[in-house]
Amino acid sequence: MKFTESEALIATIAIGILMLTLRLLPFIIFAKRKTPAFFSFIEKFIPALSIAVLFIACLKGSTTDIIFRSLAPLSELPSMFCSLAAVLFTAILHIWKNNAMVSIFGGTTLYMVLNYFF
């Protein structure tokens, strides 16, 4: 389905308004009240969960084959190097800076750069 220019503009504006509303909604709802314990729990553990999900996604597949079965061909070594270097770099960044955003973005950036060149 192709949009005309006016339909694309209307859809873009509608999506923009929806995104702005959804992002402002928590601030509007909790402006005068104390944040519920559930949201405080989520705020505390989301960075660690994000790093865990990225860790699993990064090391799945050929890397786990190499580590656990030692059956992967030599052609998979560059991919394994990229994954393990990014994981190590992310861990070092997190220990050094203790900032989840810096760790996640730094490790992801290194992985993408290494993956591009290898």
Side-chain angles (χ1 to χ4, degrees):
M1 173 179 184
K2 282 195 151 195
F3 287 133
T4 63
E5 287 182 19
S6 59
E7 290 172 335
L9 182 63
I10 291 170
T12 303
I13 291 170
I15 290 170
I17 291 170
L18 179 65
M19 289 296 295
L20 183 64
T21 304
L22 290 175
R23 289 186 179 259
L24 289 177
L25 200 59
F27 295 103
I28 294 169
I29 292 173
F30 298 117
K32 306 256 189 236
R33 302 192 278 164
K34 186 177 183 277
T35 306
F38 175 72
F39 291 118
S40 297
F41 173 82
I42 289 175
E43 179 184 21
K44 182 178 179 183
F45 290 104
I46 280 293
L49 290 172
S50 299
I51 290 175
V53 167
L54 287 171
F55 179 78
I56 291 168
C58 185
L59 294 181
K60 71 177 175 46
S62 62
T63 306
T64 53
D65 289 346
I66 292 170
I67 293 171
F68 294 114
R69 287 191 261 158
S70 300
L71 297 175
L74 292 176
S75 63
E76 297 292 328
L77 286 177
S79 175
M80 183 185 90
F81 169 74
C82 295
S83 299
L84 293 177
V87 167
L88 183 64
F89 184 69
T90 302
I92 290 169
L93 265 180
H94 196 68
I95 291 168
W96 177 40
K97 291 290 187 181
N98 199 20
N99 185 332
M101 294 305 287
V102 171
S103 305
I104 291 168
F105 285 125
T108 303
T109 302
L110 179 70
Y111 177 76
M112 296 305 287
V113 168
L114 290 174
N115 210 17
Y116 178 77
F117 288 111
F118 292 105

